[in-house]
C-alpha cells in the first residue's frame, strides 16, 4: 500500500490529453504486434491501473500478466473447448487474439459478497480498471484492445485461467503496436444519449 504523504496536483487543461481522449480507438487484438511495452513500461502501466477508483477501498479485482508462453499453452488447451462452442471455426480463430499480442493483462473481478458496497459497484470498478490499463498503454505509446471472447465465460476455460469461485474475467487487455492506424467506428450522437434536466 502506498503512503499518504503529499497532496496531489490539481487538474490543468491539457490539449494533448483532450486530443487523445477524443480520438482514442481500440486495436484489433490479432493485429497487435511488437514492440510491446517493456518490463519498465508494464510496471508503470500496472501502477496506473491500480489507481482505479473503487467504493470502500476493497480493491475488488486482481491482475494476471499472461506471458506469451502461458498464452500459447492456453491457446493449445482451449482448442478442444472451441469445438464445443456454437461456431467452432470462429471460436478457434479468435484464439489468435489471445496468442498474437506481445503483452496481455487479464483483469479479474473479485467482488466481496455480503459487503455494504454492492457487487455491481465493485464490478464497475473492475471495468474502470480495464479502461485505465488501456489508457495507460496508449499513454506509453502502444495500442490496446479490451476484449473478453468465449473463453471468458466457458466454465472449463475459466478453470484453465485459474479463475476462482465468485470471480469473473472482466477482460483481457492486449497491448502492442499496429502497423496501420485503426479506422474510426460509428459513435453515438450526443442528442441521442444525453439529456439535460
Ligand atoms: C467488456 C468488453 C468486451 C469485449 N469483448 C469483445 C470480444 O469478445 N470480441 C471482440 O472482438 N471485441 C470485444 N470487445 C471490443 C469491442 O467489440 C470494440 O472493438 C471496442 O469496444 C471498440 O471500442 P473503441 O473503438 O471505442 O476503442 C469488447 C469490449 C468491451 C468493452
Amino acid at each position: 500500500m502506498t503512503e499518504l504523504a503529499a497532496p496531489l496536483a490539481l487538474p490543468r487543461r491539457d490539449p494533448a490529453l483532450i486530443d487523445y481522449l477524443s480520438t482514442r480507438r481500440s486495436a484489433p487484438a490479432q493485429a497487435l504486434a511488437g514492440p510491446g511495452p517493456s518490463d519498465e513500461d508494464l510496471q508503470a502501466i500496472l501502477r496506473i491501473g491500480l489507481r482505479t477508483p473503487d467504493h470502500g477501498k476493497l480493491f475488488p479485482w486482481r491482475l494476471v500478466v499472461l506471458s506469451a508462453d502461458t498464452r500459447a499453452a492456453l491457446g493449445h488447451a482451449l482448442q478442444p473447448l472451441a469445438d464445443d462452442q456454437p461456431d467452432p471455426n470462429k471460436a478457434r480463430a479468435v484464439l489468435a487474439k489471445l496468442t498474437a499480442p506481445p503483452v496481455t493483462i487479464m483483469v479479474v473481478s473479485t467482488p466481496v459478497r455480503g459487503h455494504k458496497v454492492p457487487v455491481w459497484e465493485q464490478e464497475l470498478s473492475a471495468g474502470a480498471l480495464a479502461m485505465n490499463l488501456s489508457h495507460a498503454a496508449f499513454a506509453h505509446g502502444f495500442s490496446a484492445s479490451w476484449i473478453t471472447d468465449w473463453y471468458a465465460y466457458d466454465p472449463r476455460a475459466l478453470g484453465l485461467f485459474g479463475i476462482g469461485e465468485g470471480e469473473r474475467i472482466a477482460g483481457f487487455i492486449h497491448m502492442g503496436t499496429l502497423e496501420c492506424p485503426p479506422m474510426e467506428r460509428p459513435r453515438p450522437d450526443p442528442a441521442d444519449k444525453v439529456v439535460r434536466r
Side-chain angles (χ1 to χ4, degrees):
M1 205 78 73
T2 39
E3 294 302 318
L4 311 173
L8 298 165
L10 284 169
R12 58 177 169 29
R13 190 177 178 84
D14 183 338
L17 188 53
I18 294 170
D19 182 53
Y20 157 69
L21 290 169
S22 305
T23 57
R24 178 211 56 79
R25 178 78 233 275
S26 297
Q30 67 278 16
L32 286 168
S38 64
D39 282 349
E40 195 184 349
D41 290 336
L42 186 55
Q43 287 307 321
I45 289 167
L46 290 165
R47 279 195 175 279
I48 290 171
L50 295 176
R51 292 185 61 84
T52 294
D54 84 282
H55 186 178
K57 297 192 220 44
L58 296 171
F59 313 116
W61 17 255
R62 62 186 179 88
L63 300 175
V64 184
V65 180
L66 295 168
S67 73
D69 285 351
T70 297
R71 284 180 284 128
L74 282 165
H76 189 68
L78 288 167
Q79 291 276 352
L81 307 191
D83 294 339
D84 294 337
Q85 299 305 309
D87 184 343
N89 286 335
K90 188 170 177 219
R92 269 192 298 276
V94 297
L95 291 176
K97 297 183 190 180
L98 180 66
T99 53
V103 169
T104 298
I105 304 171
M106 179 171 68
V107 180
V108 184
S109 167
T110 64
V112 180
R113 283 163 210 283
H115 194 277
K116 68 174 182 181
V117 175
V119 166
W120 163 238
E121 293 186 13
Q122 299 182 50
E123 290 176 334
L124 286 174
S125 180
L129 168 54
M131 194 68 236
N132 271 350
L133 287 171
S134 303
H135 287 317
F138 283 106
H140 282 78
F142 300 98
S143 293
S145 169
W146 170 9
I147 59 171
T148 45
D149 269 325
W150 62 267
Y151 39 83
Y153 297 99
D154 181 285
R156 292 165 301 166
L158 294 180
L160 294 173
F161 283 102
I163 303 303
E165 187 73 31
E167 295 185 331
R168 299 177 88 171
I169 295 179
F172 300 91
I173 311 301
H174 301 294
M175 303 171 183
T177 302
L178 288 181
E179 201 169 307
C180 310
M183 302 294 288
E184 180 56 304
R185 83 195 300 241
R187 305 290 171 179
D189 188 326
D192 295 333
K193 289 285 176 190
V194 183
V195 292
R196 291 170 189 265
R197 302 179 62 184

